[in-house]
Amino acid sequence: MSNRAFAAIAFAVAIAIAAASQLIGNEYFFVAAYTVLQFVILATAWNILGGYTGYVNFGSASFFAVGAYTSVALYNAFKAPLPVVIVAGTVTAGLVGLGVGYLTLRLRGVFFAIATLALSVVLYTFVVNWDYVGGARGAYIILPREGPFGLSRYIHLLYIAMVLMAAFALVIARAIETSTLGRGLAAIRDDELAAECSGVPTLRLKIFSTMVSCALMGMAGTTLPYFISYIEPSSAFSLSYAVNSIAMPLIGGMMSWMGPLIGAVLLGSVQQLVQVTVSSAWNLLIVGVLLVLFVTLAPNGIMGWVYAWRRRKER
Amino acid sequence: MRQPAGDPRRFRFDPMEITPALILNAVIAGLLIGGFYAAVSVGVSISFGMLDVVNIAHPAFILVGSYIAYIVNDRFGFDPILVSLVVSPLFFALGLGIYRVYYVCFERRGQESLRGLAFFFGILFITEVALVLIFGVDYRTASTAYTDTTLRLGGIDFPLRLVVPFAVSMAMVAGLQVFFTHTFFGRAVLAVAQDQLALRLMGVDPVRIKGLAFALSIATASVAGAFLIVIQPVQPSIGREYIGLVFAVCVLGGMGSIWGTLIGALVLGVAESFTSTFVGPSWAPAVSFGLLLATLAFRPSGILGR
Amino acid sequence: MMAGTLLEVSGVTKRFGGFTALDGVDFSVRPGERVGLIGPNGSGKSTLVNCITGTLRNEEGSIRFEGQDICGYAAHRRIRLGLARSFQIPKPFTSMSVLDNLCVPLLFAARKHEKFAPGRVVEEAMHILGQVGLESKARAMSGGLTQVDMRKLELARAMAAKPKLLISDEAMAGLSASEVDEILALLSGLKERGVAVIMIEHVMRAVMKFSERIAVLVAGRKIADGDPQSVVGNADVIKAYLGE
């Protein structure tokens, strides 16, 4: 299937889902769905650098927060409309990713991973000290209760935006995966030195992959301030984003665009249930344990099981 | 005078009265805390610098050490540092177990760069959340005979809660340096980093050596944890803040060099102390990352580069 | 610089801290030439290869390829100019099939100087697999091959970059006599296509059979360079291999 056909199908499905959900009366559905969609984007984004290229980013929360705080800054500055805010957040996060990548990708992947981990702390410190976006006390965004275009609530608009963005992220991931660029990334992941000696411009591809991945993570964060109408550092930089963006692709399967989608929907839904019934700390513990279990015992994730089962059937 | 909180001009740095005493105090405080940082980082210098195992969960083990010291101190009043020394064999055993899993699941299959990292991240994460579930997010402190005592020598403050860990840390670092350069086992570890094949030909099992060395690095975490809770109150999320610092120290000092780790730690301690004194304490965490990035960008082999 | 030289290495020096791995090495290769590079373990052969292909940077000296100074070029850029190498310990792209392994250099290196349509990549890859005798294993995963097949894949991947100069780094190490012959036939086939080859080997009969010229590296210095018979009879060379 060509990428154009996939894109058409993805957006058609997205619009269908968005339209169908107007029939749902339960408002909680939108809250839960928003969160799951957020994770679909984050997991898909992480996997572009993680699963496709083999570089681990521990600082997903940082780039997510860049998107969120760019929204807040632009909204406070001149009440920018939603599409502008989304694009701005995406671009800004991409630029931050470019910066970090440029500084650390010439070295071993390990140093990139460590740099991303430390980046969270630094960005957090920066944001806490920056009063324009509320600093440690946080900032409020007051939104109209009704949504535009006749939607009954503003959150419905956010939800639709997220569905479209999730489709967008999946289309981008698949386009990269199936392109020549994607082959180069896979070569880098398997053996970077051999890739370089096969003519793959490894540094350039790594930087590009980092930029796209971080930009999409930022995109996931742009609607957060609108969603919860209040933003403060510890929720924007929440540990939940960091661990989930790694656990979901790992559990779903890192080799293709389907893995993060499956991981996000499954794990995200489970977490919504657990969070409501048990505490959120237990929820995170379960995610952490699943991460360690899968990485040691089932490193290829759920999609890995599917492939193995399919290959066994072929024999 | 600091501007009021809502004022955007708060970003500017105010000039303060800079006296020699102020500078000297900043230096001494920096050196003392640097000694602590050395204890914190020497474990990673071993596991990452010498063994090439990216144990980003090291700060989590340190925290576990802190909490164990806290429990015993709270219950029985024993000195945290003594407790940690007694408990360190347990940490050693834990390290052996973890390396075994890491080796079988990742190192043997060549998957350590992606999945091995994710594994240690998972451990870091689980540890933090488990600590939150058991102890909650409140700060915990240990009480010792010397926690509130500060010596004043020549106009400079020497808080004992910094001095005692500094002294023990120096002893530990010196001991490790002697160990690695003068014992057979220690030199075997250094050899493992350079030429595993030669080691095998000598009849030494590199995997076993690495396991024991890794276990040693975890044992140091126990002691470092005790230092931590003597120096400052602890709560579960502190672990993550130390990762940048730990790796900054190791890279700064040149990977795998014990003396280098010490020097890197002291440099970082003084840099943070100066930032805290002259710019503001809330900026201190950014210093380690800044130094790390600068070192990686300009001199990746560190100060005592090989 | 000699006219018509493909690769010209002049005065190349490489140090690792206090240790000098290469000390003022001069070395050249003409188009289509078959050169053997021998020397005891640790003499700097792999270091020289790394400096030529760009995975290491030499501190002193110059490296010219087809007259161009390539010293500042990243490795992938040198590959695209027509240099290729195989690795001593095979480094296949383990998540890919044998066929897909070849697609990488075809897409990223060969296409830069040999225009062929993207649709023909698979065809080209199968063609090269045919030349090395791996067509039947095209769909197999590259991680589970036998030793000799891995070596063939290494060389096939280097060939897929459509190089003008191919460096074979100890491709025959640890192989049986018949397997050595298979690799030898493979490398000899490159001559027909006008590809120059530097063969780094310890298997002396293969080196003698294959090379038009042999260079000897000992402790980072080139101590002999000439036709095989005279090099092998050279007193210094014999001393280096057998000791005093």
Side-chain angles (χ1 to χ4, degrees), chain C:
Chain C
M1 202 200 84
M2 285 158 42
T5 315
L6 185 61
L7 175 74
E8 179 94 24
V9 174
S10 313
V12 160
T13 299
K14 174 70 191 160
R15 294 185 202 94
F16 295 104
F19 172 64
T20 306
L22 294 174
D23 192 0
V25 174
D26 296 320
F27 183 65
S28 63
V29 180
R30 285 193 303 278
E33 199 180 6
R34 289 188 295 206
V35 184
L37 181 61
I38 63 175
N41 274 321
S43 53
K45 305 188 294 295
S46 282
T47 309
L48 183 60
V49 172
N50 284 327
C51 286
I52 292 173
T53 51
T55 47
L56 284 177
R57 294 295 160 97
N58 45 301
E59 273 94 30
E60 289 170 32
S62 76
I63 302 177
R64 304 187 92 91
F65 189 75
E66 290 191 313
Q68 228 178 331
D69 185 356
I70 60 173
C71 262
Y73 290 12
H76 73 266
R77 207 166 153 198
R78 305 188 197 196
I79 308 307
R80 289 175 177 190
L81 286 176
L83 263 169
R85 66 158 312 166
S86 67
F87 285 92
Q88 204 170 334
I89 300 172
K91 292 152 90 46
F93 299 127
T94 47
S95 75
M96 304 183 202
S97 67
V98 167
L99 184 76
D100 286 332
N101 262 264
L102 295 194
C103 291
V104 175
L106 278 171
L107 288 167
F108 285 91
R111 280 202 73 205
K112 299 296 168 180
H113 53 84
E114 269 199 28
K115 308 287 178 229
F116 57 84
R120 282 193 47 216
V121 171
V122 173
E123 207 183 300
E124 282 288 327
M126 286 303 292
H127 180 64
I128 297 174
L129 285 180
Q131 284 167 4
V132 304
L134 282 177
E135 343 67 2
S136 55
K137 307 228 171 86
R139 303 281 165 197
M141 290 307 283
S142 55
L145 298 173
T146 61
Q147 261 304 306
V148 65
D149 282 343
M150 289 247 252
R151 308 294 178 82
K152 287 186 184 175
L153 178 58
E154 266 302 295
L155 287 171
R157 210 170 55 183
M159 285 157 64
K162 307 280 183 170
K164 298 172 186 149
L165 170 62
L166 189 152
I167 305 175
S168 162
D169 195 350
E170 297 197 35
M172 299 169 188
L175 296 183
S176 71
S178 60
E179 286 166 343
V180 167
D181 288 330
E182 285 180 65
I183 303 285
L184 202 49
L186 200 164
L187 288 172
S188 301
L190 288 168
K191 170 81 175 183
E192 274 100 69
R193 288 167 227 121
V195 179
V197 176
I198 300 176
M199 174 198 265
I200 301 176
E201 279 302 342
H202 287 294
V203 183
M204 281 313 291
R205 77 167 170 92
V207 178
M208 292 301 289
K209 204 166 162 195
F210 179 81
S211 319
E212 296 165 17
R213 179 163 67 93
I214 295 182
V216 185
L217 216 57
V218 174
R221 290 208 190 95
K222 192 176 74 169
I223 64 166
D225 190 344
D227 77 279
Q229 290 303 330
S230 58
V231 164
V232 164
N234 182 312
D236 293 321
V237 173
I238 296 174
K239 196 164 58 174
Y241 269 100
L242 300 176
E244 288 273 28

Side-chain angles (χ1 to χ4, degrees), chain B residues 250-293:
Chain B
C250 285
V251 173
L252 205 55
M255 313 273 281
S257 157
I258 304 281
W259 279 148
T261 304
L262 177 61
I263 294 176
L266 293 173
V267 167
L268 187 67
V270 173
E272 266 193 17
S273 180
F274 269 70
T275 308
S276 192
T277 309
F278 297 109
V279 179
S282 51
W283 286 98
V287 172
S288 57
F289 179 59
L291 267 177
L292 175 64
L293 271 187

Side-chain angles (χ1 to χ4, degrees), chain A residues 56 108 114 122 125 129 131 281, chain B residues 5 52 114 125 129 247 282 289:
Chain A
V56 180
R108 288 168 56 193
I114 294 167
V122 168
T125 307
N129 284 305
D131 288 323
Chain B
D52 215 23
L114 181 66
F125 188 78
V129 176
F247 283 91
S282 51
F289 179 59

Side-chain angles (χ1 to χ4, degrees), chain B:
Chain B
M1 197 194 87
R2 298 226 149 257
Q3 309 284 6
D7 193 323
R9 284 176 294 165
R10 206 164 155 261
F11 244 0
R12 209 190 294 150
F13 306 136
D14 306 308
M16 302 169 66
E17 247 229 81
I18 301 178
T19 64
L22 195 63
I23 295 181
L24 210 48
N25 261 309
V27 169
I28 296 295
L31 288 175
L32 289 178
I33 199 107
F36 161 62
Y37 288 162
V40 165
S41 314
V42 75
V44 170
S45 183
I46 297 173
S47 57
F48 184 41
M50 295 179 193
L51 307 175
D52 215 23
V53 176
V54 194
N55 179 11
I56 56 170
H58 193 77
F61 296 113
I62 294 177
L63 265 188
V64 171
S66 297
Y67 274 94
I68 291 180
Y70 162 74
I71 298 175
V72 177
N73 175 263
D74 196 49
R75 270 296 191 87
F76 305 107
F78 292 136
D79 179 76
I81 298 178
L82 289 175
V83 170
S84 72
L85 289 169
V86 167
V87 167
S88 55
L90 288 176
F91 277 71
F92 189 87
L94 178 66
L96 280 177
I98 291 182
Y99 183 75
R100 191 78 208 148
V101 173
Y102 174 80
Y103 174 71
V104 166
C105 296
F106 310 108
E107 211 165 40
R108 207 161 53 174
R109 299 186 201 154
Q111 292 285 352
E112 60 268 26
S113 52
L114 181 66
R115 300 201 166 96
L117 262 180
F119 170 72
F120 280 116
F121 179 74
I123 293 189
L124 172 73
F125 188 78
I126 291 176
T127 310
E128 180 174 330
V129 176
L131 285 173
V132 167
L133 283 170
I134 301 173
F135 294 99
V137 296
D138 298 324
Y139 280 96
R140 308 283 175 170
T141 55
S143 55
T144 63
Y146 44 85
T147 310
D148 300 315
T149 319
T150 300
L151 295 177
R152 256 200 106 84
L153 300 172
I156 309 172
D157 291 321
F158 287 86
L160 281 186
R161 69 174 220 293
L162 288 181
V163 171
V164 173
F166 176 84
V168 181
S169 171
M170 289 301 111
M172 186 169 83
V173 168
L176 283 169
Q177 175 66 14
V178 166
F179 173 76
F180 280 111
T181 48
H182 287 81
T183 66
F184 173 77
F185 177 79
R187 280 185 293 191
V189 174
L190 292 178
V192 143
Q194 293 177 28
D195 195 339
Q196 290 207 20
L197 179 61
L199 210 59
R200 261 186 227 278
L201 291 174
M202 283 169 59
V204 182
D205 180 7
V207 177
R208 201 162 155 270
I209 299 273
K210 289 178 85 163
L212 290 169
F214 186 80
L216 184 63
S217 82
I218 303 296
T220 67
S222 162
V223 183
F227 293 164
L228 178 63
I229 198 167
V230 166
I231 289 176
Q232 64 167 89
V234 303
Q235 58 110 310
S237 71
I238 285 182
R240 269 179 289 138
E241 290 164 23
Y242 273 85
I243 293 170
L245 185 146
V246 162
F247 283 91
V249 167
C250 285
V251 173
L252 205 55
M255 313 273 281
S257 157
I258 304 281
W259 279 148
T261 304
L262 177 61
I263 294 176
L266 293 173
V267 167
L268 187 67
V270 173
E272 266 193 17
S273 180
F274 269 70
T275 308
S276 192
T277 309
F278 297 109
V279 179
S282 51
W283 286 98
V287 172
S288 57
F289 179 59
L291 267 177
L292 175 64
L293 271 187
T295 314
L296 285 179
F298 301 116
R299 188 164 163 66
S301 45
I303 290 178
L304 288 187
R306 273 184 269 158

